[in-house]
């Protein structure tokens, strides 16, 4: 009996040793296969990648965007493989400038951000300055994020100073001057404005139009009409001789504003016409450039997604390879050191890995779910802001321009057809509707005076003879929070008030705001005396959109509590943390 037990035990040990050898040999074969696989995929050398980037840059300059984008993508793949941060940054920036040149600024922006991430890991101040300047242009002229734009312009100047490039220093200071002028901050701009006038020899033909235009704006601000008129005229004359169409279009726009302010309506009208003509010409030129991409065997959005995948895929492969190599070393060292217990150790290692994998997958799923919610919220707010700015800056501006032309026409003609007068009334009415829609999408009170004023106005606007909204606030009305924070809270509260109006059948509601004693949290309470609802009724809660509102508040790291009973009204409490 004892001999049988010993024999069985020996057989089990031999079987386990055999299984271990099989596993070990399989892992060795996997390593050999992996090495063979990577050897078959030729990786370009650093010099070859640099040449490819140089060729892509040349093709961008001659507007061969198809070839430039393809070369940039290939260079990027290989730069990531050799882990050269400078080359990776160059590739991302070059892809960005291709889209920038095609006026596809929404696609250029994320590539500039990635370029900045990698170039910050290097000491190359020249490329740092270029990337910050590219980002500043998009933030300022496209996104209307003026503070962010000025920040990037100043960072570009900082790195140009480190590189001791006088021409770039001059250009950066000219851009900062323009930025401050655009937001009407002439006090902060004075230092930079004096510099560009004192050292204008460091400028070139590309800066002359902007330089004279900025002088025109400055002297217009100083009410020196003679000098302002001189510089505006000079800027336009130089612009007509150069290729700086964007600067020329802005010069016409600013000159038209100056002339209109000084009641020279006819000449203002002529400059507005020129501004519109050049702007359309720039847009047509961009369309012509985009036609050169016809026949590319990939859509531009697909190109962006593919480039985004390059880095993620490579990192994933590297992680898999590193995990496999680490596992091989562990298995090999265990076999050498303690061969007899390898099966047990391998078993626990496998179980532990499996458990970690399950936990990791669960965490990833939670993160993906939260990211989807966050992306949806950010997308809605971004689109709301973009549409509002488009209505305000483009449609409203165009209607105002058309109205100005009609006013000039009416002032010059004593008798006009009724159709012209009706047209003017229609334009005014349309302008008012566009303005109201723009304010609904992004309320002016919210932007200018903040959340507290905007909510007070919202309660007053929603109150009527059947339902009164009472607003109570223990916080100073002048207090402002972060713009994104205020915008999100405003639309959350606005949605809750709309629910009261649509569903509650209440006659009275109250909105109150307060801060905790340590000023770390903002507390918002919304109550009504309406018909209430069963908070356990999922369809009812979902119909009110409360689950989505709760997710948006979770995105602010806040708490959302709802208390309601049928025929006893509803009470909502929102608590959100305030950043220092």
């Amino acid at each position: 009996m004892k001999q049988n037990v010993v024999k069985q035990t020996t057989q089990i040990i031999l079987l386990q040793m055999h299984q271990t050898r099989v596993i070990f040999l399989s892992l060795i074969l996997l390593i050999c296969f992996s090495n063979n696989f990577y050897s078959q995929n030729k990786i370009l050398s650093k010099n070859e990648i640099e040449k490819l980037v140089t060729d892509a840059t040349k093709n961008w300059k001659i507007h061969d965007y198809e070839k430039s984008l393809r070369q940039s993508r290939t260079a990027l793949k290989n730069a990531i493989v050799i882990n050269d941060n400078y080359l990776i940054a160059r590739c991302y920036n070059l892809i960005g400038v291709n889209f920038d040149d095609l006026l596809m600024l929404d696609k250029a922006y994320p590539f500039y951000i990635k370029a900045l991430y990698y170039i910050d890991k290097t000491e190359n101040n020249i490329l740092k300055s270029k990337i910050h300047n590219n980002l500043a242009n998009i933030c300022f002229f496209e996104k209307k994020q003026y503070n962010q734009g000025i920040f990037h312009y100043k960072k570009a100047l900082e790195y140009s100073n480190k590189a001791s490039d006088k021409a770039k220093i001059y250009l950066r200071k000219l851009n900062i001057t323009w930025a401050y002028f655009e937001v009407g901050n002439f006090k902060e701009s004075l230092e930079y404005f004096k510099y560009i006038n004192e050292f204008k020899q460091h400028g070139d033909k590309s800066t002359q139009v902007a330089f004279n235009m900025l002088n025109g704006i400055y002297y217009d601000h100083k009410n020196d009409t003679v000098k302002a008129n001189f510089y505006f005229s000079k800027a336009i004359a130089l612009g007509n001789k150069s290729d700086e169409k964007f600067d020329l279009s802005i010069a016409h726009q600013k000159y038209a504003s100056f002339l209109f302010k000084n009641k020279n309506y006819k000449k203002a009208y002529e400059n507005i016409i020129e501004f519109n003509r050049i702007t359309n010409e720039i847009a047509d030129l961009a369309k012509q450039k985009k036609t050169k991409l016809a026949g590319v065997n990939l859509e531009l959005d697909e190109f962006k997604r593919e480039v985004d995948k390059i880095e993620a895929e490579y990192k994933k492969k590297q992680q898999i390879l590193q995990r496999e190599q680490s596992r091989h070393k562990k298995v090999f060292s265990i076999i050498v050191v303690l061969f007899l217990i390898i099966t047990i150790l391998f078993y626990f290692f496998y179980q532990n890995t499996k458990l970690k994998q399950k936990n990791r997958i669960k965490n990833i799923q939670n993160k993906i779910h939260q990211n989807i919610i966050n992306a949806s919220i950010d997308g809605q707010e971004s689109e709301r802001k973009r549409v509002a700015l488009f209505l305000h800056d483009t449609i409203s501006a165009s209607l105002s321009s058309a109205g100005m032309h009609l006013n000039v026409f009416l002032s010059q003609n004593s008798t006009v057809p009724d159709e012209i007068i009706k047209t003017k009334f229609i334009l005014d009415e349309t302008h008012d509707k566009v303005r109201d829609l723009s304010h609904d999408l992004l309320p002016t009170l919210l932007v200018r005076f903040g959340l507290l004023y905007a909510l007070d106005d919202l309660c007053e606007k929603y109150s009527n003879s059947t339902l009164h909204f009472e607003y109570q606030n223990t916080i100073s009305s002048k207090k402002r929070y972060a713009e994104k924070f205020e915008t999100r809270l405003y639309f959350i509260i606005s949605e809750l008030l709309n629910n009261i109006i649509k569903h509650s059948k209440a006659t009275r509601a109250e909105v109150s705001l307060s801060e905790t004693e340590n000023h770390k949290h903002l507390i918002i309470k919304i109550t009504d005396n309406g018909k209430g609802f069963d908070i356990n009724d999922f369809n009812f809660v979902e119909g009110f959109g409360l689950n989505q509102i709760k997710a948006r508040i979770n995105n602010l790291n806040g708490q959302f509590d709802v208390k309601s009973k049928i025929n006893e009204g509803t009470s909502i409490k929102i608590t959100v943390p305030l950043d220092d």
Side-chain angles (χ1 to χ4, degrees), residues 446 450-459 470-477 479 481 485-486 489-490 493-494 496-497 510-516 519 521-527 572-576 578:
L446 179 63
L451 176 68
L452 305 177
Y453 273 109
L455 290 178
D456 190 3
D457 178 71
L458 187 67
C459 289
E470 184 175 348
Y471 176 73
Q472 294 184 0
N473 172 33
T474 61
I475 310 167
S476 171
S477 297
K479 184 164 185 180
Y481 302 102
F485 178 81
E486 288 189 340
L489 274 182
Y490 177 85
I493 295 170
S494 175
L496 290 170
L497 297 190
E510 182 179 298
V511 179
S512 68
L513 279 82
S514 62
E515 288 184 0
T516 54
H519 301 290
H521 292 82
L522 177 66
I523 299 173
I524 303 156
K525 294 181 180 178
I526 302 172
T527 59
I572 295 173
K573 182 180 179 182
I574 301 170
T575 306
V576 287
L578 298 172

Side-chain angles (χ1 to χ4, degrees), residues 85-108:
N85 291 320
Y86 169 68
L87 284 175
I88 294 172
R90 278 189 68 187
C91 293
Y92 274 130
N93 184 63
L94 184 54
I95 294 170
V97 297
N98 270 279
F99 286 119
D100 203 330
D101 214 23
L102 293 165
L103 296 185
M104 302 172 74
L105 304 181
D106 57 326
K107 291 183 173 61

Side-chain angles (χ1 to χ4, degrees), residues 57 64 145 183 264 285 321 345 351 492 579:
T57 303
D64 191 346
Q145 297 172 351
V183 297
N264 190 343
L285 183 61
L321 182 61
L345 292 176
Q351 291 298 324
I492 287 170
D579 293 332

